[in-house]
């Protein structure tokens, strides 16, 4: 199971009008530790940023799974509650999980999520879908080499 870290990167970005603006952008990285997450994001974004940049924050996220969509340019966080029955009390128990979905818009995020959940035996309900500020998601492949699943 992947461990996802949100890494914030601060750098000077050229705006459409030609001026420079300092921005801080969040990225999601699959890594084993905080140190590896910082090294991975540095390696991944170096080719795309001219000039200096700084990794200003690295934090572990509660992301359980990623749903990819070719051509999706936004990232949505889906809070899903898995419903189970407590055998001792007979009461329904809801366990929250958070998934990231790559999509074009809100409706597409819902559709991509539902397609990804096809065949799931567990009962679940979606309690929230929120567009995030995540710029990109970097997943490690099985060989350990960095891989972006765009």
């Amino acid at each position: 199971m992947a461990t996802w870290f949100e890494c914030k990167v601060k750098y000077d970005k050229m705006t459409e009008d030609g001026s420079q603006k300092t921005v801080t952008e969040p990225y999601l990285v699959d890594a084993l530790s905080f140190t590896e997450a910082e090294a991975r994001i540095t390696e991944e974004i170096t080719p795309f940023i001219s000039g200096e940049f700084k990794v200003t924050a690295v934090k572990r996220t509660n992301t359980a799974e990623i749903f990819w969509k070719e051509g999706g340019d936004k990232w949505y966080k889906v809070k899903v509650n898995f419903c189970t029955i407590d055998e001792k009390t007979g009461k329904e128990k809801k366990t929250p999980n958070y998934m990231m979905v790559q999509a074009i818009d809100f409706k597409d995020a819902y559709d991509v999520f539902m397609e990804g959940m096809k065949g799931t035996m567990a009962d679940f309900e979606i309690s929230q879908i929120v567009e995030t500020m995540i710029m990109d998601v970097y997943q490690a492949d099985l060989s350990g080499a960095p891989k972006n699943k765009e």
Side-chain angles (χ1 to χ4, degrees), residues 103-116:
I104 297 166
D105 57 26
F106 183 86
K107 182 183 180 323
D108 190 40
Y110 174 83
D111 293 342
V112 170
F113 176 78
M114 292 305 288
E115 180 66 28

Side-chain angles (χ1 to χ4, degrees), residues 72-124:
D73 60 346
K74 296 178 186 171
W75 287 96
Y76 294 84
K77 188 172 195 171
V78 178
K79 180 180 179 184
V80 58
N81 291 316
F82 287 101
C83 305
T84 56
I85 303 294
D86 186 316
E87 292 180 16
K88 294 179 182 175
T89 63
K91 292 184 179 179
E92 183 178 70
K93 178 181 174 186
K94 294 182 180 180
T95 306
N97 270 279
Y98 298 90
M99 319 284 185
M100 291 295 291
V101 178
Q102 184 180 29
I104 297 166
D105 57 26
F106 183 86
K107 182 183 180 323
D108 190 40
Y110 174 83
D111 293 342
V112 170
F113 176 78
M114 292 305 288
E115 180 66 28
M117 294 299 285
K118 260 189 186 168
T120 301
M121 299 297 285
D123 291 332
F124 67 89

Side-chain angles (χ1 to χ4, degrees), residues 6-148:
E6 182 179 310
C7 301
K8 291 190 177 181
V9 178
K10 185 175 187 175
Y11 68 98
D12 291 331
K13 184 177 191 175
M14 188 69 71
T15 61
E16 291 178 11
D17 65 4
S19 63
Q20 280 202 337
K21 179 181 177 183
T22 301
V23 296
T24 302
E25 296 178 336
Y27 296 85
L28 215 54
V29 177
D30 177 13
L32 297 173
S33 67
F34 289 89
T35 305
E36 182 188 354
E38 183 175 2
R40 290 269 327 279
I41 194 60
T42 299
E43 179 184 338
E44 293 288 354
I45 66 167
T46 296
F48 303 108
I49 296 178
S50 60
E52 293 185 28
F53 65 88
K54 182 178 182 179
V55 178
T56 59
V58 177
K59 69 177 184 177
R60 185 176 282 127
T61 69
N62 54 4
T63 304
E65 196 167 340
I66 305 282
F67 294 96
W68 306 93
K69 159 115 181 177
E70 183 100 17
D73 60 346
K74 296 178 186 171
W75 287 96
Y76 294 84
K77 188 172 195 171
V78 178
K79 180 180 179 184
V80 58
N81 291 316
F82 287 101
C83 305
T84 56
I85 303 294
D86 186 316
E87 292 180 16
K88 294 179 182 175
T89 63
K91 292 184 179 179
E92 183 178 70
K93 178 181 174 186
K94 294 182 180 180
T95 306
N97 270 279
Y98 298 90
M99 319 284 185
M100 291 295 291
V101 178
Q102 184 180 29
I104 297 166
D105 57 26
F106 183 86
K107 182 183 180 323
D108 190 40
Y110 174 83
D111 293 342
V112 170
F113 176 78
M114 292 305 288
E115 180 66 28
M117 294 299 285
K118 260 189 186 168
T120 301
M121 299 297 285
D123 291 332
F124 67 89
E125 63 185 25
I126 297 171
S127 64
Q128 190 177 46
I129 300 177
V130 178
E131 183 178 349
T132 69
M133 298 302 294
I134 298 291
M135 300 302 290
D136 214 343
V137 175
Y138 297 99
Q139 181 180 35
D141 67 13
L142 296 177
S143 68
K147 183 178 181 185
N148 183 349

